[in-house]
C-alpha cells in the first residue's frame, strides 16, 4: 500500500501547492491513501469547511489538525458533519469532532488515522500516550486495521520521538507535525513503524515558519507587536513523507521524504519512480 503524508499546509501558497500538485501525484505514484495536515490552511490559522473540501477534492483522504484547529470558529460546527477532518484526540471529553477514525483506502485497506497533540510547551491537554493507547487497543493493527497512521502534533523533538517508540510495531507511520521544518531522521524503527520527527510544512520557506518575515522579526527585535502575522506567499514547497506499507503486516517497508517545488532541495521517493 502506498501512503503519502503532507505536512502543515500554510496559507494560500500552501493550498496552491497541494491543490496544484496532489492530483498529479495521486495518479503518478498510484497512491492508495493520502493524509494532509490542514490546521494552518486558512490564512495561517485554522481551517474552513471550503478549504477542507478543496484538500479532499485534491486527493486527501483525511485532513488532520492541531493546536490551531478552532481558530476559524466554523470548524467547531462543520467538524461534526465532516468525518474526514480530525482534531487532536486528547482534547477534553465533549470537544466537538473526533481524533481518530477508520477509513477505507483506494486499495480496500482499512486505515486507522489518529491525530494527537503533545503537551510539552503546548496546551495542557489529556495524556497523549494514554489517548493513543486507547485508540490503538480499540482498533489494533493486523486486526481491525490494515494500516495505522499517527499525526503527532507537537513542539519538541523528544516528545515526538517518544511517541514513535511507544507505538513501534503497532503503527505503520508516526509523523510529527507543527514545527514546519522537516527533519532528516526518517527511517523505519526496529519493530517496523515508519517514523519522521517532523515532516515540515507545505508553505513558502522564505519565511519564519510560514509567516511573512517582517512581523516575526519585529517581535523578536522589539517585543511589541506592530501588526498581524501574515502567511508568506512565495512559491511553496510541498513537504511530506512517502511510505510503502506491507499489505500483510501493515508495517513499513520503505520510507522517504518528499519535497517538491519552492526553495528547498527537491526529493522524491525512488521506490515509486
Ligand atoms: Fe500547530
Amino acid at each position: 500500500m502506498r501512503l503519502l503524508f503532507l505536512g502543515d499546509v500554510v496559507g494560500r501558497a500552501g493550498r496552491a501547492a497541494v491543490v496544484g500538485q496532489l492530483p498529479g501525484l495521486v495518479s503518478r505514484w498510484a497512491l492508495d491513501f493520502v493524509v494532509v495536515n490542514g490546521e494552518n490552511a486558512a490564512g495561517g490559522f485554522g481551517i474552513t469547511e471550503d478549504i477542507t473540501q478543496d484538500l479532499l477534492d485534491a486527493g486527501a483522504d483525511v485532513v488532520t489538525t492541531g493546536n490551531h484547529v478552532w481558530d476559524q470558529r466554523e470548524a467547531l460546527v462543520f467538524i461534526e458533519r465532516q468525518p474526514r477532518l480530525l482534531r487532536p484526540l486528547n482534547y477534553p471529553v465533549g470537544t466537538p469532532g473526533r481524533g481518530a477514525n477508520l477509513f477505507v483506502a483506494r486499495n480496500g485497506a482499512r486505515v486507522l488515522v489518529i491525530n494527537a497533540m503533545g503537551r510539552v510547551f503546548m496546551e495542557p491537554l489529556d495524556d497523549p500516550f494514554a489517548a493513543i493507547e486507547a485508540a490503538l487497543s480499540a482498533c489494533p493493527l493486523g486486526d481491525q486495521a490494515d494500516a495505522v497512521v499517527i499525526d503527532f502534533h507537537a513542539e519538541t523533538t523528544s516528545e515526538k520521538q517518544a511517541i514513535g517508540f511507544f507505538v513501534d510495531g503497532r503503527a505503520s507511520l508516526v509523523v510529527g507535525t507543527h514545527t514546519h521544518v522537516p527533519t532528516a531522521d526518517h527511517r523505519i524503527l526496529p519493530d517496523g513503524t515508519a517514523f519522521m520527527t517532523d515532516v515540515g510544512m507545505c508553505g513558502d520557506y522564505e519565511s519564519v515558519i510560514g509567516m511573512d518575515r517582517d512581523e516575526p522579526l519585529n517581535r523578536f527585535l522589539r517585543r511589541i507587536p506592530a501588526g498581524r502575522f501574515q502567511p508568506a506567499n512565495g512559491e511553496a514547497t510541498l513537504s511530506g513523507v512517502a511510505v510503502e506499507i506491507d499489505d500483510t503486516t501493515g508495517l513499513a517497508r520503505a520510507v522517504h521524504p518528499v519535497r517538491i517545488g519552492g526553495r528547498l532541495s527537491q526529493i522524491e521517493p525512488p521506490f515509486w519512480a
Side-chain angles (χ1 to χ4, degrees):
M1 170 178 166
R2 296 177 168 201
L3 172 102
L4 176 67
F5 187 104
L6 293 177
D8 316 30
V9 179
V10 181
R12 186 181 304 277
R15 298 199 312 268
V18 174
V19 168
Q21 301 195 57
L22 183 54
L25 294 180
V26 169
S27 62
R28 180 153 66 92
W29 290 343
L31 296 172
D32 295 304
F33 202 75
V34 177
V35 182
V36 177
N37 185 300
E39 75 142 8
N40 304 116
F45 299 93
I47 189 161
T48 63
E49 188 163 25
D50 286 350
I51 291 173
T52 303
Q53 196 57 53
D54 289 346
L55 298 176
L56 296 174
D57 290 345
D61 293 280
V62 179
V63 176
T64 54
T65 57
N67 54 307
H68 288 293
V69 59
W70 311 126
D71 286 1
Q72 306 292 323
R73 307 303 287 178
E74 66 177 82
L76 285 160
V77 176
F78 82 80
I79 197 169
E80 294 284 9
R81 57 175 178 260
Q82 181 46 272
R84 293 182 181 273
L85 178 68
L86 299 181
R87 48 84 173 159
L89 182 65
N90 48 330
Y91 272 116
V93 172
T95 301
R98 66 219 88 199
N101 211 352
L102 193 64
F103 303 91
V104 178
R106 282 179 265 289
N107 66 342
R110 300 159 301 167
V111 185
L112 173 66
V113 182
I114 300 173
N115 189 190
M117 212 161 97
R119 294 191 294 185
V120 182
F121 306 136
M122 300 187 86
E123 297 165 64
L125 299 184
D126 293 346
D127 177 5
F129 291 83
I132 289 171
E133 182 67 47
L136 286 178
S137 10
C139 190
L141 182 63
D143 194 354
Q144 276 104 312
D146 303 306
V148 174
V149 178
I150 300 177
D151 173 355
F152 189 58
H153 197 79
E155 195 73 66
T156 65
T157 49
S158 57
E159 197 176 15
K160 293 179 201 184
Q161 292 176 5
I163 289 283
F165 286 110
F166 181 63
V167 304
D168 186 17
R170 303 191 287 159
S172 317
L173 169 70
V174 173
V175 67
T177 56
H178 179 68
T179 66
H180 293 187
V181 180
T183 58
D185 61 340
H186 56 278
R187 68 197 188 281
I188 298 174
L189 299 178
D191 290 328
T193 297
F195 178 79
M196 187 173 185
T197 296
D198 202 292
V199 69
M201 66 172 171
C202 296
D204 173 9
Y205 279 81
E206 293 304 349
S207 67
V208 176
I209 61 169
M211 295 293 142
D212 188 72
R213 292 165 292 202
D214 293 346
E215 181 56 16
L217 196 55
N218 167 67
R219 292 199 197 181
F220 281 116
L221 289 170
R222 299 195 174 81
R223 316 302 301 184
I224 302 168
R228 295 164 60 98
F229 289 127
Q230 303 284 353
N233 274 324
E235 187 191 343
T237 300
L238 200 78
S239 198
V241 65
V243 189
E244 181 77 41
I245 297 169
D246 188 285
D247 291 335
T248 313
T249 64
L251 295 171
R253 285 211 303 237
V255 58
H256 202 273
V258 172
R259 294 189 298 270
I260 299 172
R263 297 282 293 154
L264 297 194
S265 64
Q266 306 291 291
I267 193 160
E268 295 190 10
F271 43 81
W272 294 341

